[in-house]
Amino acid sequence: MKQMQYKMAFRKHRDKVFGFAFYLLRNQEDAEDVTQEVFVNLWKHWKGINRQKQEAWIMKTTRNKCIDVIRKRQSSLSRVQGIEWESLAFSVDETESPHAQLELTETQDSVLRVLYTLPEKIQSVLLLYYFQDMKINTIGDVLDVNLNTVKVTLHRGRKMLKEALKNQCPDVVEGL
Amino acid sequence: MNKKCQDMQALLDLFIMDDLSGKELKMLQDHLDQCADCQRVIEGEAWEKLLLHLPKRRCPERVIRRVESMIRQERKRAGVFRWQAGHWRQTVFAGAALAALLIFLIIRHQPEEHQFTPQAYTQEEIEQAREAMKWTMVYTAQKIKKSETRVIDEVFTHRLPESVQKSVRKVLPILQGD
């Protein structure tokens, strides 16, 4: 029974988890490791997880794992921002189908670059809201904050991204 | 938003997806030059739509295989724990038996030099020891006798206080066995 339910949950959420980790970490290998850890943890803590809030638990664990990875990177200083960004464009698995490969337009590339200059919390909220198409109350569960805080963070995030786009990529804003 | 603006919205979506022909792009550009409302909309919403349309990433097959393999391992481990929970008495008994066996083996195989072996003496050495003991006792007895004599001398030469002399006189016959 548990195995069946787990398989269904894995199938349902694995792409979301991987996509979120990938865009947050900008690195294929790290995103793969995070995805693996999240789903092994899901199995281990299966009994204690509320089924209604399973998606929130999964995304929350994903975010926490990503933050751990980012902290490790910052402490070891083993990788620089430029290399990380490059890995987003080039670390695509050759064995995957062409549909799965990253094909960012120049504008998407610029918006993402600007997004990555914002605080991690803002990045998470914007990615969860826009990219993952997640509801505001679920985002609240992921971030452990109430509905109003999510709304305020989202509003602030939009504003910050818009301002940052104007400052850092005026040509992109003009182009839009 | 007027009718023309609504028409332009469709073009706007295509523009954001970089999917506009040259002619459509020109139409949109002309409209945006004239319409301040659409300018605001495009400024406010374009990047949002870009985020909405970021390429979706599929979880690679190798990650799926890795997760499945790890879950199989976890299940096996959980199975062992379940068995242990159901058979804890047997597990404890087996552990205790193993510990007892180990202790027995350790004691049995202690190195020979650590074991106590009594020293064997010759008859001559024993005789010598007895003789030495006898003379030691004689010497000790003489010493005791000398000490007694000195005490008695002290008493009778009045070197001790009068009260002590009286006590000694009382006790002396008893000590001498009279």
Side-chain angles (χ1 to χ4, degrees), chain B residues 2-18:
Chain B
N2 59 34
K3 177 77 173 66
K4 194 167 185 188
C5 289
Q6 281 172 9
D7 293 341
M8 286 299 143
Q9 188 64 44
L11 287 183
L12 209 59
D13 291 340
L14 288 172
F15 169 70
I16 287 160
M17 299 301 293
D18 275 349

Side-chain angles (χ1 to χ4, degrees), chain A residues 41-56:
Chain A
N41 276 1
L42 178 69
W43 175 268
K44 284 181 183 168
H45 301 100
W46 184 261
K47 274 187 188 169
I49 300 166
N50 182 352
R51 294 287 167 276
Q52 308 298 320
K53 296 193 172 181
Q54 196 182 57
E55 188 187 4

Side-chain angles (χ1 to χ4, degrees), chain B residues 143-172:
Chain B
K143 279 280 179 192
I144 292 167
K145 201 173 179 182
K146 269 187 185 173
S147 303
E148 277 179 356
T149 314
R150 200 186 303 142
V151 169
I152 293 162
D153 283 352
E154 291 285 331
V155 172
F156 288 103
T157 50
H158 306 283
R159 285 189 190 164
L160 293 169
E162 191 57 34
S163 58
V164 178
Q165 284 183 33
K166 275 183 184 174
S167 303
V168 171
R169 279 191 201 105
K170 276 184 188 173
V171 175
L172 202 59

Side-chain angles (χ1 to χ4, degrees), chain A residues 32-89:
Chain A
E32 286 180 9
D33 290 344
V34 164
T35 309
Q36 184 180 314
E37 283 178 36
V38 167
F39 284 105
V40 171
N41 276 1
L42 178 69
W43 175 268
K44 284 181 183 168
H45 301 100
W46 184 261
K47 274 187 188 169
I49 300 166
N50 182 352
R51 294 287 167 276
Q52 308 298 320
K53 296 193 172 181
Q54 196 182 57
E55 188 187 4
W57 187 93
I58 289 171
M59 298 315 281
K60 184 179 174 176
T61 312
T62 308
R63 181 173 171 254
N64 289 341
K65 296 274 175 201
C66 290
I67 291 171
D68 288 345
V69 172
I70 291 166
R71 278 191 191 137
K72 270 184 204 164
R73 279 182 195 167
Q74 283 170 350
S75 64
S76 64
L77 293 173
S78 60
R79 295 169 187 178
V80 290
Q81 193 71 17
I83 293 172
E84 288 305 302
W85 177 259
E86 281 167 16
S87 70
L88 176 66

Side-chain angles (χ1 to χ4, degrees), chain A residues 90-143:
Chain A
F90 300 112
S91 69
V92 175
D93 184 5
E94 297 296 327
T95 59
E96 286 180 37
S97 66
H99 300 290
Q101 293 191 8
L102 261 190
E103 288 165 357
L104 290 175
T105 63
E106 216 172 288
T107 328
Q108 279 173 329
D109 185 277
S110 303
V111 172
L112 273 178
R113 277 172 190 267
V114 174
L115 178 74
Y116 293 143
T117 62
L118 303 181
E120 183 279 326
K121 198 172 185 180
I122 304 275
Q123 286 182 38
S124 293
V125 171
L126 290 174
L127 282 174
L128 288 171
Y129 185 73
Y130 289 109
F131 175 62
Q132 301 283 6
D133 201 17
M134 203 175 259
K135 288 175 184 163
I136 288 178
N137 54 0
T138 316
I139 296 175
D141 289 335
V142 173
L143 301 178

